């Protein structure tokens, strides 16, 4: 099933409401395996909600979400089997704006935790893998440091290593540089760029950094008020947007 024609992730007519507030409206889109998609749009447009639904932290009100062709969530369809949802969900990793590291665990402990707890990996195997991942994000020497002893940029790189430890085929990044001091942003973006060039993970990137959104993406989706307003190649969306709403959004963030 995991061939080129099956999307890595697919939203089919997904609506999400909180009470009477409809935050996503009949949303349909898909991400191909190994595709990098930037999701941009004003605050409150529903970007984080999309990512949280892919993590099954939220359920759609109606519509279906599929991961490599397998059901992840179904708003109105029959109840899905928990083991099937868990299998679909296991393809996906996420890095959050607030790094969300376990404060009482060292950097390497944070990276080892899920492989041991979720996959039942043996401690020494998990440690070796975690060390290799910390090396990869440039933190090999900080393995035994606790989050409180690390800079924001270092903590975020640990969070990336932690997500990679579960070998996701789809990586979700939600404003991963927004909580960082400006001088620490570059080191985190460099890690993401190297992952993009060295792996075939699909990536769905939410960011207010328009340079990053453009550089990382094969495709850019601009959304507003829970709808996709425009999508296309980065050069097309950024240089010559079709919609006046995209145009005015880009003007406002560039200022
Ligand atoms: N748990 C919740 N209960 C009620 N409303 C919610 C909840 N989560 C999100 N919302 C609302 O859903 C809408 C979309 O929120 P979302 O966080 O997806 O926006 P966003 O595009 O990520 O915005 P930002 O750029 O500010 O992060 C907002 O109006 C928000 O207030
Ligand atoms: Mg958000």
């Amino acid at each position: 099933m995991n061939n080129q024609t099956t999307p890595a992730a697919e939203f089919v007519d997904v609506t999400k409401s909180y009470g009477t507030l409809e935050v996503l409206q009949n949303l349909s889109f898909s991400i191909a395996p190994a595709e990098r998609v930037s999701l941009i749009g004003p605050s409150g447009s529903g970007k984080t909600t999309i990512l949280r639904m892919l993590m099954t932290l939220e359920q759609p009100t109606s519509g279906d979400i599929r991961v490599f062709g397998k059901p992840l969530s179904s708003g109105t369809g029959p109840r899905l089997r928990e083991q099937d949802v868990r299998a679909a969900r296991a393809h996906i990793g996420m890095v959050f704006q607030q790094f969300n590291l376990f404060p009482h665990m060292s950097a390497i402990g944070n990276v080892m935790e899920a492989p041991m707890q979720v996959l039942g990996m043996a401690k020494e195997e998990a440690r070796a893998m975690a060390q290799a991942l910390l090396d990869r994000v440039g933190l090999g020497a900080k393995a035994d440091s606790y989050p409180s002893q690390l800079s924001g940029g270092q903590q975020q790189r640990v969070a990336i290593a932690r997500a990679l430890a579960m070998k996701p085929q789809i990586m979700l990044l939600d404003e991963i540089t927004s909580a960082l001091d400006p001088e620490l942003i570059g080191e985190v973006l460099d890690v993401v760029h190297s992952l993009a060039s060295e792996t075939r993970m699909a990536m769905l990137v939410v960011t207010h950094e328009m340079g990053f959104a453009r550089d990382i993406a094969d495709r850019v989706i601009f959304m507003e008020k829970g709808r996709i307003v425009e999508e296309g190649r980065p050069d097309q969306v950024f240089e010559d947007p079709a919609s006046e709403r995209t145009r005015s959004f880009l003007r406002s963030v560039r200022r």
Side-chain angles (χ1 to χ4, degrees):
M1 275 293 273
N2 289 10
N3 57 33
Q4 290 298 319
T5 56
T6 306
E10 189 176 16
F11 279 57
V12 183
D13 206 20
V14 169
T15 295
K16 175 67 179 172
S17 302
Y18 292 106
T20 55
L21 179 67
E22 199 165 75
V23 300
L24 294 176
Q25 303 182 34
N26 305 100
L27 193 71
S28 295
F29 73 98
S30 61
I31 302 168
E35 189 182 22
R36 282 69 198 253
V37 176
S38 289
L39 196 51
I40 62 172
S43 183
S45 55
K47 307 180 297 294
T48 294
T49 303
I50 289 174
L51 269 50
R52 287 178 57 81
M53 287 203 291
L54 281 165
M55 292 298 285
T56 64
L57 298 168
E58 295 287 350
Q59 292 294 317
T61 305
S62 65
D64 293 310
I65 304 173
R66 292 195 272 268
V67 172
F68 291 105
K70 304 277 174 54
L72 179 79
S73 300
S74 183
T76 43
R79 204 180 144 73
L80 303 176
R81 296 198 309 171
E82 196 168 319
Q83 72 230 53
D84 294 339
V85 172
R86 223 179 299 124
R89 160 72 185 72
H91 292 296
I92 308 175
M94 181 163 176
V95 181
F96 301 84
Q97 174 177 353
Q98 299 294 349
F99 332 123
N100 296 345
L101 296 176
F102 302 117
H104 60 288
M105 287 182 192
S106 63
I108 198 164
N110 268 277
V111 181
M112 293 165 63
E113 181 66 7
M116 286 170 50
Q117 296 303 325
V118 181
L119 307 179
M121 192 181 283
K123 189 166 189 173
E124 286 319 306
E125 189 187 348
R127 182 177 297 280
M129 182 185 65
Q131 183 64 51
L133 288 171
L134 289 173
D135 289 343
R136 179 168 195 179
V137 299
L139 289 174
K142 296 285 187 183
D144 296 321
S145 298
Y146 283 79
S148 62
Q149 300 169 320
L150 298 172
S151 73
Q154 290 170 337
Q155 290 181 60
Q156 195 57 297
R157 286 186 281 148
V158 174
I160 292 170
R162 183 177 59 175
L164 292 173
M166 295 299 283
K167 300 188 168 50
Q169 289 176 272
I170 307 172
M171 185 68 107
L172 312 177
L173 306 177
D174 194 3
E175 307 272 12
I176 60 167
T177 60
S178 303
L180 299 178
D181 291 337
E183 71 271 23
L184 302 179
I185 291 174
E187 67 190 52
V188 172
L189 296 187
D190 286 350
V191 166
V192 177
H193 278 298
S194 80
L195 290 176
S197 65
E198 292 161 17
T199 75
R200 288 190 40 81
M201 285 186 299
M203 293 185 178
L204 183 55
V205 178
V206 172
T207 182
H208 287 128
E209 302 258 337
M210 291 303 130
F212 179 49
R214 181 177 177 152
D215 292 345
I216 199 80
D218 303 312
R219 179 158 56 107
V220 177
I221 297 177
F222 170 67
M223 56 186 297
E224 187 181 57
K225 296 181 183 154
R227 292 175 189 275
I228 293 175
V229 173
E230 174 163 1
E231 61 183 304
R233 289 198 328 270
D235 58 330
Q236 178 248 308
V237 173
F238 283 103
E239 302 290 339
D240 189 21
S243 158
E244 179 49 40
R245 275 138 81 198
T246 313
R247 227 176 269 273
S248 66
F249 171 75
L250 290 174
R251 267 200 305 274
S252 72
V253 292
R254 274 172 189 158
R255 208 170 285 137

